[in-house]
Amino acid sequence: MLKKGTKLYSILTGTCPKCHEESMYKDKNPYNMLNIFKMHEQCSHCGTKYKIEPSFFFGAMYVSYAVGVAFGVAAFVIAFLIFQTTLINTFIAITLTLVVFMPFIIRVSRNIWINFFVHYDPNAAKKTS
Ligand SMILES: [Zn+2]
């Protein structure tokens, strides 16, 4: 399932959405918070510009909202329905989950966002090299 050529691969690994050959990020680890938004200008393999327009990644905020809700619902189900904690503890669990996964959510949202607009092209990497 998680192999090159699938959108899921690019989304989960943060690789170039077009050729999947290299990371879009200068620092692959989203938990190095100082570098979380630092991206390469363009892919050195296929030349794809990651910032399609100046405020391109602004739209990723909408995606991160949806992803955040998904994580919140998952935390709710696990804490309240499976572990049957009290509502207040469930609320704490949801908050903690969102805080802990925030860097991951931010990155994944950007990856999902750019994958809406840029599609995998198996020949992309070869064209410029
Ligand atoms: Zn590329």
Side-chain angles (χ1 to χ4, degrees):
M1 185 173 81
L2 196 61
K3 60 174 198 242
K4 275 186 190 177
T6 62
K7 287 210 176 289
L8 203 59
Y9 177 84
S10 171
I11 287 167
L12 291 180
T13 58
T15 47
C16 169
K18 189 147 197 172
C19 70
H20 295 186
E21 288 295 327
E22 66 176 42
S23 178
M24 293 189 285
Y25 300 97
K26 290 183 177 171
D27 188 334
K28 282 186 187 176
N29 184 356
Y31 287 89
N32 289 333
M33 295 292 282
L34 284 175
N35 297 327
I36 189 160
F37 292 119
K38 288 184 184 158
M39 302 177 75
H40 294 289
E41 284 288 312
Q42 62 182 68
C43 177
S44 69
H45 283 85
C46 68
T48 296
K49 280 198 172 65
Y50 299 135
K51 224 176 178 183
I52 294 170
E53 48 191 47
S55 55
F56 176 68
F57 283 107
F58 184 80
M61 293 209 316
Y62 298 107
V63 180
S64 69
Y65 181 75
V67 175
V69 168
F71 271 82
V73 169
F76 173 82
V77 169
I78 291 167
F80 192 69
L81 298 181
I82 296 177
F83 288 103
Q84 304 193 328
T85 55
T86 59
L87 267 181
I88 187 74
N89 282 337
T90 301
F91 178 75
I92 292 168
I94 291 171
T95 307
L96 276 178
T97 300
L98 290 179
V99 168
V100 167
F101 285 100
M102 189 55 75
F104 176 76
I105 291 170
I106 289 171
R107 280 279 172 93
V108 157
S109 301
R110 287 190 162 216
N111 301 344
I112 291 171
W113 183 246
I114 196 167
N115 267 283
F116 278 140
F117 301 95
V118 184
H119 304 289
Y120 181 63
D121 178 357
N123 299 314
K126 294 167 197 159
K127 280 172 193 161
T128 46
S129 57

